[in-house]
Structure formats: C-alpha cells, structure tokens
Amino acid sequence: MPEKVFWGTGSAEGIPNPLCKCPACEKARKMKGKNIRSRSSFRLSEDILLDFGPDLVTQAQRNGGDLMKLRHVLITHTHYDHFSAFALCQFAGSYIPPKEPVAFYFTEEAYEMADYLCHDEMLLRNGFRETLESGTIRFEKLKFFEEKKIGDYIVTPLPGRHPGSTEKRSANYLFEDPEGEALYYGTDTGYYFPETIDFLKDHPVNTLITECTWDENRPWNPESDKHLSLGTLKELLKVLSAQGTLGSFSRVYVTHISHSHKRTHEELEDFMLGWTEFPFKVHIAYDGMEIK
C-alpha cells in the first residue's frame, strides 16, 4: 500500500455535483479522468488518515487498499464532507474488524462533536452503539500548538480560519517525520491566522498540501474568507516563501477544489505553470495521486 495518497481532492459538493448543471460540472462529466473529484481526504501512511468523510468506502475501493492497519484519523473540522458520523457505522458492519482500536483526533474546540455522537439516538440505532461497545474506536483531544506523537510522526495542530459544526476554528496539521521532513496539511483553512504564520517561521515545510476552493474571480477579504482562492493562495505562498517556511526544498499541492473553478484539471495545471516567481512548483492534486 503506497503512502501519501490523495483519496479525495474536491470540496463539499464534489465535482461534478450530481445536482448541478454549471459549466465546471458539465465539463467534468464529459472529460472525466482527473476532473472527477470526491470529497477531500488524504492517506498519509498505512496507519494515518486525514478526515473520514462520506466518500470513504468508494475512495478505499478505488485506491485498492483496505483500512485494516488504520490506527489514527485526524479530523480537520466537523463539517459533513470531512467527518461523516454515519461513516463511523462502517465499523459495525465488519465480520473481522481491525485488531487494534482506531483513534479519532479532534481539537479541544471540536471535541464537543465526540460527546454529541455518543448520545445521538439516530446514529446509535444505525450500528454506532455496537461500534462503541466493542471498543473499536476511541476519541482523543488535541490542543492547538501542542505537539503529540502519532504513529511515526510528531504532529502539531494549528488553527485555521474556518468554523466547523461545533468549533470556531478548523485544524491544520504539521507532521514531522523521524528524518526531519515536514508536511503541512491545510484544507478549509482560509488565509492563515497571524499566529499560524508566525509559528511556521521556525518550521520549514517540505510538502505543503493546501486548499484552493475558489477561483480568482471573487472579492478578496483574507480576514473573513473561510476558504482560499487562487488570489489569496498566491499571496499566502508569497508570505510563507519570504519568511523561509517554503523554498526550493518545498513541493506544493493544491486540493479541496470546488466547481467555482472554471478551468479543467489540465487547464489549472497550465495556469500554475505561470507562477514562476516561486522557487518551487505548484501541483494540482487529483483523486488517487501519490506523493513520491
């Protein structure tokens, strides 16, 4: 099973949205391939997954792997496209479940969701009661800016400018492996908070995975926008490059792409080739893409 695979690269609607006839969705239906995007999820390693959304089963099937070695799921925020409560009931349908429990991590702000789930009668009647009683999963709490050892990584959650179902801020995650390589995962983050940018001054990032939910044709308000656009992403990359967080040692991958983008996958790739002011390439991720 390869590590570092984009299981999903779309936003909440997916591309194409089956209930939408916009030009982007119509193009995706016609062209297919890399233009088809399920809801965002990223498999960092055999034992670590970022987000647990409504497309989980299909994503696992398409990527040719199971989740039997999964031990840790880090939730960026509790909106339904990133964390599907009913997807948790998948554990109840297992004749031979994982041998070890799977830990689901929420920030302190988002942890209220765990308590809600454990008392949701509709969820409990759909197999979640059996999942809880079997001890197959457990919930753990993380604090912003506080390191925690998860699998082989040192993980630090940083706040994003995006609310969830219960929390006011989303979680971006900085992963540092035993060799000193750093990967930063930021979807549904908006323009980074000053304290997040400041923290990253001392943490060079080798691999940045960033949302770019919107195209460039929208008003820019970096302090209130809950998503990045092509315009705000470019400005953010300038700031991170200037302070040394990103450099020639970095790779950048764009994910969480919505149907507000009028360009196809290939057209977005061509567009990013024009960002020559950076010492790194900006790649457009697609479902099933591996990071070597």
Side-chain angles (χ1 to χ4, degrees):
M1 180 69 191
E3 296 184 354
K4 299 183 177 65
V5 180
F6 288 93
W7 275 30
T9 57
S11 61
E13 305 85 2
I15 300 178
N17 178 347
L19 300 173
C20 181
K21 292 281 285 184
C22 76
C25 289
E26 289 290 80
K27 279 185 182 179
R29 289 188 188 98
K30 180 179 179 180
M31 301 183 71
K32 299 182 172 59
K34 296 176 182 179
N35 295 288
I36 305 296
R37 301 184 184 277
S38 59
R39 270 70 71 91
S40 290
S41 182
F42 183 72
R43 191 162 191 180
L44 181 65
S45 61
E46 281 193 324
D47 61 334
I48 298 176
L49 182 71
L50 283 117
D51 286 335
F52 202 81
D55 299 328
L56 177 78
V57 173
T58 301
Q59 289 169 341
Q61 293 167 342
R62 287 178 176 173
N63 288 290
D66 57 49
L67 290 172
M68 296 303 291
K69 294 183 179 180
L70 182 66
R71 298 292 176 265
H72 312 280
V73 180
L74 290 94
I75 304 301
T76 59
H77 64 299
T78 57
H79 280 155
Y80 79 94
D81 56 316
H82 292 258
F83 179 65
S84 170
F86 281 102
L88 293 172
C89 298
Q90 199 70 30
F91 288 97
S94 302
Y95 288 121
I96 304 176
K99 292 182 179 179
E100 297 180 31
V102 178
F104 284 77
Y105 299 85
F106 302 85
T107 63
E108 283 186 308
E109 292 183 8
Y111 195 79
E112 180 183 344
M113 176 61 77
D115 183 65
Y116 173 82
L117 296 175
C118 293
H119 296 87
D120 185 340
E121 280 299 321
M122 186 179 295
L123 194 61
L124 293 171
R125 292 173 187 173
N126 278 273
F128 191 55
R129 189 185 308 278
E130 291 83 350
T131 299
L132 291 175
E133 291 175 350
S134 67
T136 310
I137 68 172
R138 71 176 190 270
F139 299 123
E140 294 198 19
K141 189 182 297 185
L142 299 175
K143 292 183 178 180
F144 286 125
F145 301 105
E146 187 172 290
E147 293 182 354
K148 185 176 180 65
K149 183 75 159 51
I150 297 178
D152 292 332
Y153 291 86
I154 299 297
V155 182
T156 308
L158 302 179
R161 201 185 298 270
H162 187 96
S165 300
T166 62
E167 67 275 28
K168 294 181 179 179
R169 297 177 294 175
S170 59
N172 297 342
Y173 290 104
L174 177 66
F175 296 88
E176 296 172 283
D177 70 16
E179 286 73 42
E181 291 274 312
L183 180 148
Y184 192 72
Y185 189 82
T187 65
D188 291 65
T189 178
Y191 196 86
Y192 292 4
F193 285 117
E195 58 266 37
T196 297
I197 292 174
D198 189 61
F199 182 90
L200 292 172
K201 286 180 180 178
D202 299 321
H203 294 83
V205 170
N206 304 95
T207 303
L208 172 66
I209 299 174
T210 175
E211 68 147 306
C212 187
T213 307
W214 294 325
D215 69 6
E216 73 270 43
N217 297 318
R218 59 180 297 112
W220 179 19
N221 189 338
E223 293 188 1
S224 63
D225 288 351
K226 62 180 182 178
H227 284 299
L228 288 171
S229 66
L230 285 169
T232 48
L233 172 60
K234 192 171 189 178
E235 293 303 313
L236 178 62
L237 294 180
K238 289 178 181 178
V239 171
L240 295 178
S241 298
Q243 70 179 25
T245 301
L246 299 176
S248 58
F249 52 86
S250 305
R251 297 173 296 177
V252 176
Y253 296 88
V254 174
T255 187
H256 202 275
I257 295 168
S258 79
H259 57 172
S260 79
H261 289 273
K262 303 304 184 288
R263 298 177 178 88
T264 65
H265 176 88
E266 291 74 15
E267 289 168 343
L268 267 176
E269 284 185 325
D270 290 341
F271 179 78
M272 289 300 183
L273 290 175
W275 289 14
T276 56
E277 63 266 52
F278 301 116
F280 48 79
K281 290 184 178 180
V282 181
H283 306 274
I284 305 300
Y286 55 87
D287 288 21
M289 181 182 190
E290 299 177 25
I291 296 179
K292 302 294 185 181

